[in-house]
Amino acid sequence: MNDLAPAGVPGPTTCAGPAAGTALRRATPALAAYVAVRLLGLLVLAVWSAADGKDWHTLLTARWDSLWYTRVAGQGYGYAVPMPNGDLHSSLAFFPLLPWLERGLSALLPLSPADAGMAVAWVASAVAAWALYATGERLYGPRAGIALAALWAALPVGIVQSMAYSESLFTALAAWGVYAVLTERWVAAGVLASLAGLTRPVGAAVVAAVWLTAAVTLWQERSGGVRLRAALRAHPGMPAGVLLAPLGWCGFFLWVGARQGSFTGYLDVQGGWGNGFDGGLAFGAFIWQQLSGPTVVGGLGLLLGVGLVIWLYVHGVRQGQPLPLAVYGGTVLLLALTAKGYFGSKPRLMMPAYPLLLPLAAALARRRPVWSWLAIGVMAAGSAVYGAFWLNGSGPP
């Protein structure tokens, strides 16, 4: 099969691939690069926090969303905070997989739920980096895989990967789920998509990758004159994977709806937080406000950043990015840019969209190693400084 074919749909898998141990050994340089970048970020955060009279551990485990996750882990759902403007911030907005893991890990080990959440994030981020290496290696070779993992670590908001947040856990499940689609491990893809759907609302992006890839694969088979039954036999596990994929996301959505007494219960909960989807109208108004006021420079920077991520997505698609990656990355990007709410969260919401980094990883893989590592080093240093500044200031909401 040609993974770089414009159609981007994987062909039949004829073997199960190398053993996990062999695959992990191949990924060791990527994991080492990932850990080095993140350790730099943590070191700068610790020094900056100490100089600012703050505790780096508290910044990573006991602020913003991490407090809500640990509250769910310790007390279950049902906690809500009325706001002065009449909004209601409910714990039902937070998907359950991370709190479940926090509760289970803190019961097995001498860890608080908050520390358990940070441990999950650290392990999951390394697992995600492994999946990113496997993806980059499959498409462009080992050097691209290493670059992809390092670039993801060096994102400006990469410090979130080390926090007791759900982004690292989600990215690990999503990246391996999409990789399972690439390699036609349909049952594994369905299970991982379902778990991702229990982790964050954007789990719908993994479901979309499974469903659309399956639909296009069958459509291409049918266009070639293959009967549907024969096409399904040629792709074992596809029906099961397609059925399994939405169970996590739909299950939590329906459970919240039943608890709230309304089919749109989860959307109502998000509305209480000021979140929701309006097609990008609120975000567009926010950018215009920045451009038309005294913060015009910041508005231009924001506009440039949005243009860059859209260009990266389009460039990746034009390079022949496989369909599962294009669907997943595009859906994450679309949901992030069209959501209303606190606009400072958007870089964090886009962090799981790792396919956007594939064109950069492929470009770095073609350069001399000294220049590639210099570029990644500069990005890592910038990420470390920005992450420490960000987390000691307003930080991720």
Side-chain angles (χ1 to χ4, degrees), residues 135 139 178 182 209 213 313 321-330 354-355 358:
T135 302
L139 298 181
V178 172
L182 281 172
T213 304
Y313 175 71
Q321 195 169 101
L323 183 61
L325 288 161
V327 171
Y328 167 76
Y354 66 90
L358 271 168

Side-chain angles (χ1 to χ4, degrees), residues 292-336:
S292 59
T295 56
V296 61
V297 175
L300 288 173
L302 180 59
L303 197 61
L304 181 63
V306 172
L308 175 62
V309 296
I310 293 176
W311 178 83
L312 285 172
Y313 175 71
V314 172
H315 189 60
V317 172
R318 292 182 63 184
Q319 280 187 331
Q321 195 169 101
L323 183 61
L325 288 161
V327 171
Y328 167 76
T331 305
V332 173
L333 182 60
L334 178 66
L335 293 176

Side-chain angles (χ1 to χ4, degrees), residues 209-248:
V210 174
W211 280 10
L212 285 178
T213 304
V216 171
T217 300
L218 292 178
W219 178 77
Q220 289 184 338
E221 297 273 8
R222 293 285 291 137
S223 298
V226 179
R227 292 182 179 273
L228 179 60
R229 184 175 298 179
L232 290 173
R233 283 200 302 268
H235 303 282
M238 181 184 286
V242 168
L243 291 174
L244 287 168
L247 293 184

Side-chain angles (χ1 to χ4, degrees), residues 95 170 196-197 200-207 249 328 331-333 335-336 349 352:
F95 276 54
F170 173 78
R200 295 190 60 78
V202 75
V206 194
V207 179
W249 190 92
Y328 167 76
T331 305
V332 173
L333 182 60
L335 293 176
L349 297 178

Side-chain angles (χ1 to χ4, degrees), residues 168-211:
S168 291
L169 177 60
F170 173 78
T171 306
L173 294 168
W176 279 115
V178 172
Y179 185 80
V181 178
L182 281 172
T183 55
E184 291 214 51
R185 294 171 171 87
W186 290 103
V187 175
V191 171
L192 290 164
S194 187
L195 291 172
L198 284 171
T199 308
R200 295 190 60 78
V202 75
V206 194
V207 179
V210 174
W211 280 10

